[in-house]
Amino acid sequence: MALLAPYMSFWQHRRLAIELIRQQIRTRYSGALLGLFWTILLPLLYLGTFTFVFTVIFPRHWPLEKGQELSQTGFALLILAGLNVFWLFSECINQAPGLIRSNENYVKNIVFPIDLLAWINIGEALFNAIIRTLLLISAVIVVKGEII
């Protein structure tokens, strides 16, 4: 039962968590020049950079099964897929040590479930990862014409 405690806490306070995730996303991009568009622009810039690097600077043949080869653009998409997982993990891990300190007003002034701070962090990172994944799927469809 103790292993399920964080999940039960999230479920009990899910409305609060969802609203705080929305607020966190809004405040993260509110002061930026392009706002939420950065979530779309950065993966596209990475994809363009990887495609340029692996088609022009380092043109290599990436072998697959049965004598097939992965194109340079396909390899750039593969790297972007791996980076998407890495970015999700690193967003959560990099912000974790400072969660309580950066949210002192929740911790000190009101009764607040502190373990909800981690769920808010994960929710914001998942939002960004979902957008990057949708962009990756769109890029794969544009390049290959199919998802598989």
Side-chain angles (χ1 to χ4, degrees):
M1 198 67 166
L3 292 175
L4 297 177
Y7 302 104
M8 291 171 48
S9 175
F10 172 75
W11 186 252
Q12 288 174 345
H13 305 290
R14 64 187 175 276
R15 289 190 184 116
L16 176 63
I18 290 169
E19 187 57 39
L20 289 173
I21 290 168
R22 287 181 185 154
Q23 179 184 358
Q24 185 74 19
I25 291 168
R26 277 187 293 242
T27 56
R28 180 176 181 176
Y29 295 108
S30 65
L33 179 64
L34 298 176
L36 194 58
F37 187 65
W38 280 112
T39 307
I40 298 169
L41 185 63
L42 283 177
L44 290 176
L45 288 174
Y46 275 109
L47 180 61
T49 303
F50 293 147
T51 303
F52 174 75
V53 167
F54 292 110
T55 56
V56 176
I57 299 175
F58 298 119
R60 300 236 188 231
H61 299 286
W62 305 99
L64 294 174
E65 302 174 355
K66 302 176 188 172
Q68 297 175 348
E69 290 184 357
L70 184 64
S71 68
Q72 286 86 6
T73 307
F75 185 70
L77 290 171
L78 186 66
I79 288 178
L80 191 62
L83 277 176
N84 193 9
V85 175
F86 171 74
W87 285 329
L88 173 64
F89 179 75
S90 69
E91 277 184 59
C92 293
I93 295 299
N94 286 337
Q95 292 179 6
L99 279 178
I100 293 177
R101 185 161 294 235
S102 64
N103 293 297
E104 287 181 21
N105 53 345
Y106 291 139
V107 176
K108 286 184 178 179
N109 297 334
I110 57 176
V111 177
F112 184 81
I114 295 175
D115 56 340
L116 207 59
L117 293 174
W119 288 107
I120 296 166
N121 185 20
I122 292 170
E124 180 187 3
L126 280 174
F127 171 78
N128 293 328
I130 289 170
I131 290 176
R132 288 190 301 258
T133 302
L134 291 174
L135 287 171
L136 180 65
I137 291 171
S138 301
V140 168
I141 290 173
V142 167
V143 170
K144 292 183 70 176
E146 60 185 4
I147 294 179
I148 297 176

